[in-house]
Amino acid sequence: MTAAERPLAQGATLPGGASAAGPAARVAPAAGLPAQGGPARLRFGYGTNGLTDLRLDDALGLLADLGYSGVGLTLDHMHLDPLAPDLAARTRRVARRLDRLGLTVTVETGARYVLDPRRKHGPSLLDPDPQRRAERVRLLIRAVQVATDLGAHAVHCFSGTTPDGTSVETAWSRLADAFVPVLDAASGARLPLAVEPEPGHLLATLADFHHLRHLLGDPELLGLTLDIGHCQCLEPQSPADCVRAAAPWLRHVQIEDMRRGVHEHLPFGDGEIDFPPVLRALAETGYQGLTVVELPRHSHAGPQLATQSLDFLHRAAALALPGTSGALTSPRAPSGPATAPPLLREASPRGGTP
């Protein structure tokens, strides 16, 4: 039994004096409160980058059968390959499939080797070669078109790592210049572009997102992808406080467990995050998009983890939104703010496909 499968402690005291055996601890069919003026209804999804051993049709069917509201669709060679022929026709077929299954979608662009079979996430928007940077720009513009045709909520993207020998000033200048044509495409489609702060990248933190936003003149459609695990990994605030700070720009959310200072996406229960306060912050700030489970190194166990993850999120949401006020108590140790993150370590490929 994994930590995510463990039942909540019987007899534990919850806010308002409720018992963990009572209604607040039961899995709710809808993770949120429908009452007008109350917290937003949370909608959970699962990322296809954690289901790469399944055909896309099978992955979408699995998520619908499990009860997910949507999907984070990573454009990759095995799932709606953005570089293969007949993309428009294939996209229409996926759109019909999503519609039949009742799934909503956010398009993600974090495929490791979709452009360069030898360099992870290469080329990036920071590549020293302008022609190589243009390859990434074209991919993002193509993703905007795919997302438009799918009726997606947003397009996810990231900066990339700063190349060796490149100054910070040059890197930020390249990034801002590269975003201009992508934002033009997003503006034409009226579709948010949701950039993700990624540990180890040039744009790694919420502060970095705001730096880019100001460099670009605060464009309306430049939004934020917030990865809850990344908040635990390196932000000075707690993940719940990060949600509240990011709320005005929040367009997409990724969620998984993680440990302080270690960039490794973990199944729920295997890290340090206190999830009920995070879900409560998402609901109370009125977030309307998908909250997508992000386990890209766990495709070998994708169907099982998709099942366990949704059950965990429903139970955490029931604790987060029981109709009580005040601080919430989690069945997990809290992950409060730290004065400073320890030296960031990239995890080894533990949990990858055997």
Side-chain angles (χ1 to χ4, degrees):
M1 177 181 293
T2 69
E5 292 175 287
R6 295 180 193 130
L8 304 184
Q10 293 295 314
T13 301
L14 302 175
S19 165
R26 291 199 297 264
V27 174
L33 298 180
Q36 186 175 6
R41 178 181 179 270
L42 298 177
R43 297 187 297 152
F44 298 123
Y46 201 91
T48 58
N49 60 358
L51 296 169
T52 56
D53 291 298
L54 276 67
R55 298 177 183 88
L56 182 56
D57 276 359
D58 292 337
L60 297 179
L62 168 72
L63 299 182
D65 287 346
L66 290 176
Y68 280 95
S69 298
V71 59
L73 175 56
T74 296
L75 304 181
D76 206 347
H77 63 89
M78 80 296 290
H79 291 157
L80 196 54
D81 187 343
L83 304 183
D86 301 321
L87 178 60
R90 291 183 289 115
T91 301
R92 287 193 294 271
R93 288 196 292 272
V94 173
R96 290 193 293 269
R97 176 75 167 153
L98 290 166
D99 185 62
R100 286 194 297 270
L101 294 171
L103 294 173
T104 57
V105 61
T106 298
V107 169
E108 302 195 4
T109 61
R112 294 183 179 95
Y113 298 101
V114 68
L115 289 177
D116 187 332
R118 300 186 181 190
R119 188 158 62 104
K120 180 182 176 182
H121 292 155
S124 78
L125 297 175
L126 306 178
D127 199 287
D129 184 341
Q131 293 185 344
R132 296 285 280 163
R133 292 200 299 273
E135 291 181 48
R136 177 63 61 172
V137 169
R138 286 193 293 271
L139 176 67
L140 294 178
I141 291 173
R142 188 168 297 184
V144 169
Q145 183 60 60
V146 169
T148 302
D149 293 343
L150 292 177
H153 301 294
V155 172
H156 150 278
C157 61
F158 52 85
S159 68
T161 59
T162 303
D164 291 341
T166 301
S167 70
V168 172
E169 294 78 10
T170 296
W172 280 110
S173 177
R174 285 178 189 165
L175 184 63
D177 289 346
F179 261 101
V180 170
V182 184
L183 280 166
D184 286 345
S187 296
R190 301 302 302 166
L191 184 73
L193 190 65
V195 62
E196 178 188 5
E198 180 78 20
H201 283 206
L202 174 68
L203 198 158
T205 65
L206 288 174
D208 293 333
F209 165 73
H210 291 300
H211 182 62
L212 176 65
R213 188 169 62 84
H214 291 306
L215 283 177
L216 291 168
D218 197 14
E220 177 189 1
L221 288 171
L222 181 65
L224 178 69
T225 292
L226 189 68
D227 188 302
I228 301 303
H230 295 173
C231 297
Q232 174 69 14
C233 180
L234 52 66
E235 293 285 354
Q237 296 177 297
S238 72
D241 286 340
C242 287
V243 169
R244 297 185 189 280
W249 302 275
L250 198 53
R251 301 295 177 266
H252 183 46
V253 172
Q254 298 170 345
I255 193 167
E256 70 286 318
D257 221 336
M258 203 167 286
R259 297 182 183 277
R260 187 75 176 163
V262 183
H263 183 203
E264 182 178 13
H265 291 234
L266 299 172
F268 297 119
D270 288 356
E272 301 169 339
I273 299 176
D274 187 24
F275 284 95
V278 173
L279 299 183
R280 178 177 172 179
L282 286 169
E284 291 185 345
T285 56
Y287 174 64
Q288 298 292 315
L290 286 172
T291 299
V292 171
V293 179
E294 181 85 354
L295 292 173
R297 291 180 174 175
H298 292 77
S299 281
H300 62 285
Q304 293 80 12
L305 282 169
T307 302
Q308 294 165 13
S309 296
L310 188 59
D311 175 68
F312 182 94
L313 289 170
H314 277 158
R315 290 185 292 125
L319 283 171
L321 303 167
T324 63
S325 59
L328 293 175
T329 300
S330 168
R332 301 273 305 285
S335 56
T339 55
L343 181 65
L344 177 66
R345 293 190 289 114
E346 283 289 336
S348 62
R350 182 173 69 83
T353 303

